[in-house]
């Protein structure tokens, strides 16, 4: 579905907006982790990745990375993300969430994740977005790490339900 590819030791995730190809996110882990875009267009703007699912669902998870987004969708957990990470939310995307009843933001365990989650919650509505942070885990720990560590879908769903907090709740900090 995502038309993933590989070129010259880079994994490629194509990015589309309204059915039109925009760019590739290029990723690799060896010899070191790197993420970049294929085209270096200075006018390239973040895209809401996987937004096509939003008219058909009433619960969604917003994650920081495209790989997290793909993984959650493969597990049957509808997810979207910005192609540019935690702090690149575009308030113009709010229109896609008007009929969504439950919104969860899964933040990586770092300041960028926390700031991005609060930015999205402020944009979509403080009483509409619940945030999950893995505060007890290592720095930068996120949804993908949960599954790499052997976590199950069922436990992940339970943690989202039981530990997510609104941005204004003290427990989030």
């Amino acid at each position: 579905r995502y038309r993933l590819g590989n070129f010259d030791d880079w994994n490629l995730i194509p990015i589309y907006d309204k059915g039109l190809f925009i760019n590739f996110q290029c990723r690799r882990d060896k010899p070191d982790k790197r993420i970049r875009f294929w085209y270096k267009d200075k006018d390239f703007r973040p895209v809401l990745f996987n937004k096509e699912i939003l008219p058909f669902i009433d619960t969604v998870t917003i994650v920081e990375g495209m790989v997290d987004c793909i993984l959650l969708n493969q597990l049957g957990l509808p997810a979207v993300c910005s192609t540019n990470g935690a702090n690149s939310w575009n308030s113009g995307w709010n229109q896609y969430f008007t009929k969504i009843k439950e919104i969860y933001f899964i933040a990586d365990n770092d300041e960028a994740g926390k700031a991005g989650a609060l930015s999205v919650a402020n944009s979509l509505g403080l009483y509409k977005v619940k945030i999950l942070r893995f505060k007890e885990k290592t720095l930068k720990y996120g949804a993908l790490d949960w599954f790499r560590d052997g976590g199950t879908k069922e436990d992940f769903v339970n943690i989202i339900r039981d530990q997510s907090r609104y941005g204004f709740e003290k427990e989030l900090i």
Side-chain angles (χ1 to χ4, degrees), residues 62-64 86 104-110 112-118 131-135 140-143 172:
I62 302 171
V63 291
E64 291 191 40
Y104 297 95
F105 190 106
I106 310 301
D108 289 354
N109 186 28
D110 55 19
K114 179 180 168 185
L118 292 172
I131 301 167
L132 175 65
R133 292 185 61 222
F134 294 100
K135 295 186 298 188
K140 299 187 182 279
Y141 193 97
L172 180 66

Side-chain angles (χ1 to χ4, degrees), residues 2-165:
Y2 295 103
R3 301 177 184 156
L4 306 176
N6 185 281
F7 177 76
D8 199 23
D9 294 327
W10 288 90
N11 295 305
L12 306 175
I13 304 173
I15 301 168
Y16 294 88
D17 191 20
K18 299 176 185 162
L20 299 174
F21 172 75
I22 303 294
N23 207 337
F24 288 109
Q25 184 186 76
C26 307
R27 306 176 61 95
R28 71 175 178 199
D29 291 321
K30 296 178 184 175
D32 56 339
K33 182 177 179 179
R34 294 190 53 204
I35 301 172
R36 66 177 179 87
F37 292 103
W38 186 271
Y39 299 108
K40 307 276 195 246
D41 184 352
K42 65 180 177 2
D43 295 326
F44 177 69
R45 69 208 184 309
V47 172
L48 184 60
F49 185 73
N50 205 39
K51 72 178 177 224
E52 300 80 22
I53 67 168
L54 294 173
F56 306 104
I57 59 175
D58 60 7
T59 300
V60 70
T61 301
I62 302 171
V63 291
E64 291 191 40
M66 294 172 62
V67 173
D68 300 49
C69 181
I70 292 170
L71 173 64
L72 290 183
N73 280 284
Q74 287 177 323
L75 293 171
L77 302 171
V80 297
C81 70
S82 170
T83 53
N84 285 33
N87 291 295
S88 60
W89 188 259
N90 178 338
S91 62
W93 298 337
N94 294 0
Q95 65 180 319
Y96 301 116
F97 293 86
T98 56
K99 294 183 180 179
I100 304 293
K101 295 177 183 169
E102 293 181 299
I103 302 172
Y104 297 95
F105 190 106
I106 310 301
D108 289 354
N109 186 28
D110 55 19
E111 286 303 313
K114 179 180 168 185
L118 292 172
S119 173
V120 171
N122 281 317
S123 186
L124 289 173
L126 288 175
Y127 287 91
K128 191 167 184 177
V129 178
K130 291 187 100 176
I131 301 167
L132 175 65
R133 292 185 61 222
F134 294 100
K135 295 186 298 188
E136 302 79 29
K137 300 291 187 176
T138 59
L139 189 64
K140 299 187 182 279
Y141 193 97
L144 184 60
D145 298 303
W146 168 263
F147 292 101
R148 281 183 178 152
D149 287 349
T152 66
K153 172 186 171 183
E154 292 76 20
D155 288 340
F156 190 73
V157 169
N158 289 335
I159 286 173
I160 291 173
R161 186 188 65 240
D162 298 338
Q163 296 182 18
S164 295
R165 300 288 181 259

